[in-house]
Amino acid sequence: MRAARLMSTLVLTAHGSRDPRSGANARAVAERLRGMRPGLDVRLAFLELSAPNFADVLSGLPDKRDAVVTPLLLASAYHARRDIPGQIARAGAYGIRQADVLGEDDRLLAVLRDRLGEVGVSPLDDEVGVMVVAIGSSNTDANARTARVAARLSAGTRWAGTAMAFATRPEASVEDTAARLRARGARRLVIAPWFLAPGLITDGVSTYARDNGIAMAPPLGAHRLVAETVLDRFDEALADHAAA
């Protein structure tokens, strides 16, 4: 769209992690964005634990009115609702725009189906139970939105069941969710991680999967459809600003 071509800077804002695989994935998404939209100034920033730091990237922008902070985040929880706006305010970058999170976009569900196919899951397999595992949040509304992924993922399949589990929350734990799927008739379980990149939390889920004989698909990663969703959020923020 025309407004997107006039805007020169997309600040791709990831959470950050001590695990280098997480940062590598964010950098790969940034490179995809540059390839998909030449001329767009894509600047990668991390909220914590990784460099470059978000506040430093903001301070280095030549014109903050010419940029959109675009979260590389799945859920609209603490970091999107409070951390990013708070850091923007502390940096004095009041004119900067913030795009929405990636959310439960259909394209990301398509990527997740592809990842399941990589570990041999067929939509016609009526013996498999698919456990979608996300990080989880203290925000119950965010968890409720994320939980929709499991039901939407199973649409058009013959799977014995799908269910959502949260890796860091006591409710809907991975162990309890696995038991529920087996009780519903699933003879074989597969984990579909609702994560953008591997890291310490996904390693913990992977250890559980290995110890219990459960296959686990890769995270969403730097798939082209992930980058496409990021660009859409960027464009939507521009369109909202133009309409205001």
Side-chain angles (χ1 to χ4, degrees):
M1 63 175 57
R2 185 173 181 270
R5 289 195 294 271
L6 293 175
M7 184 63 60
S8 66
T9 306
L10 185 159
V11 183
L12 183 67
T13 306
H15 181 278
S17 171
R18 292 185 178 87
D19 191 312
R21 295 171 296 175
S22 178
N25 185 75
R27 285 188 288 274
V29 174
E31 282 303 311
R32 273 203 180 272
L33 295 173
R34 295 180 184 110
M36 292 168 70
R37 192 165 291 180
L40 179 64
D41 181 9
V42 178
R43 302 195 180 200
L44 178 61
F46 296 95
L47 295 169
E48 58 187 33
L49 301 173
S50 302
N53 177 266
F54 180 59
D56 292 340
V57 172
L58 287 184
S59 66
L61 292 174
D63 187 348
K64 295 176 178 60
R65 297 168 299 176
D66 196 35
V68 175
V69 171
T70 310
L72 187 61
L73 302 170
L74 291 172
S76 182
Y78 169 78
H79 290 291
R81 291 176 176 270
R82 298 185 62 184
D83 190 13
I84 291 175
Q87 292 202 46
I88 289 173
R90 288 192 293 275
Y94 297 103
I96 203 164
R97 272 143 279 186
Q98 180 180 336
D100 201 358
V101 297
L102 304 184
E104 303 77 48
D105 194 279
D106 287 342
R107 288 163 292 197
L108 303 186
L109 287 166
V111 177
L112 195 57
R113 292 186 189 101
D114 286 348
R115 298 301 188 222
L116 286 168
E118 292 173 18
V119 293
V121 176
S122 165
L124 304 179
D125 189 342
D126 59 5
E127 295 187 347
V128 71
V130 175
M131 181 164 40
V132 183
V133 180
I135 188 169
S137 169
S138 59
N139 185 311
T140 56
D141 289 339
N143 289 341
R145 288 190 295 272
T146 301
R148 299 172 191 162
V149 171
R152 290 173 58 193
L153 186 67
S154 66
T157 74
R158 297 181 183 175
W159 296 337
T162 58
M164 196 80 210
F166 294 108
T168 63
R169 302 297 302 169
E171 64 273 20
S173 69
V174 174
E175 294 85 351
D176 290 346
T177 303
R180 288 203 310 273
L181 282 171
R182 289 191 176 101
R184 287 159 56 181
R187 300 180 63 182
R188 179 169 61 91
L189 298 183
V190 177
I191 291 175
W194 188 245
F195 285 79
L196 287 165
L200 300 178
I201 294 175
T202 58
D203 282 352
V205 177
S206 179
T207 298
Y208 169 83
R210 184 189 64 237
D211 292 347
N212 289 273
I214 300 173
M216 180 169 166
L220 301 177
H223 195 284
R224 181 178 178 85
L225 290 178
V226 172
E228 187 177 298
T229 307
V230 171
L231 287 174
D232 265 10
R233 299 296 177 266
F234 173 79
D235 290 340
E236 288 163 2
L238 297 181
D240 289 345
H241 177 74

